[in-house]
Amino acid sequence: MDVEPDRLSDEDLRRFVLDRLTEDEERLAREELPLLDEAERRGRLAVLRSDDGRELLLVPGEAHAQLERAPVPFAEKAQWLRKEVEGSSDRSVLLLLAAAYDTHHGWQEEWRT
């Protein structure tokens, strides 16, 4: 297996992201801004609709500046991201999402992208 001894597994990273999405849903229910939305406002990442409007896309912040579009409602975005994270084996997607929560006490510096 090609895993560094101190590196957290993709499953640990996946669990971190899923737990933060749950916390963001709770924040929204309390009428607080979800941290994922805050990360989007800061230009760190974006969840956008595809050109045909049928799918959502996750893009890094640099791409977001070139693709100004109407924001996706948080509930729709969270549902889609949860499915993507649960089914993804792409560590770069997990790292991009985890970076939105780098102020959380469970954040690991090794996840910085």
Side-chain angles (χ1 to χ4, degrees):
M1 184 176 246
D2 194 25
V3 176
E4 299 167 29
D6 294 333
R7 179 176 157 166
L8 293 175
S9 71
D10 286 359
E11 190 54 40
D12 293 329
L13 184 56
R14 181 176 291 105
R15 177 61 19 219
F16 175 81
V17 172
L18 290 171
D19 288 350
R20 301 302 69 82
L21 285 171
T22 297
E23 288 177 5
D24 268 355
E25 289 167 330
E26 292 166 359
R27 289 176 64 85
L28 185 64
R30 294 188 309 266
E31 298 183 4
E32 297 174 12
L33 182 67
L35 296 177
L36 184 66
D37 285 353
E38 179 62 29
E40 282 190 279
R41 285 185 178 184
R42 291 185 310 210
R44 299 180 74 190
L45 57 84
V47 176
L48 306 170
R49 293 198 189 284
S50 61
D51 287 339
D52 64 9
R54 295 189 316 204
E55 296 182 64
L56 297 180
L57 308 167
L58 175 65
V59 296
E62 301 83 41
H64 177 259
Q66 300 170 9
L67 302 169
E68 291 298 327
R69 300 182 186 192
V72 176
F74 182 80
E76 181 181 357
K77 180 172 26 187
Q79 180 182 10
W80 177 76
L81 287 171
R82 189 173 304 285
K83 287 179 190 173
E84 290 295 311
V85 168
E86 288 172 345
S88 178
S89 61
D90 187 343
R91 188 171 177 89
S92 63
V93 168
L94 298 174
L95 290 170
L96 178 59
L97 286 169
Y101 301 104
D102 66 354
T103 59
H104 187 273
H105 64 85
W107 166 258
Q108 301 293 315
E109 187 61 34
E110 70 185 59
W111 296 340
R112 189 154 314 277
T113 56

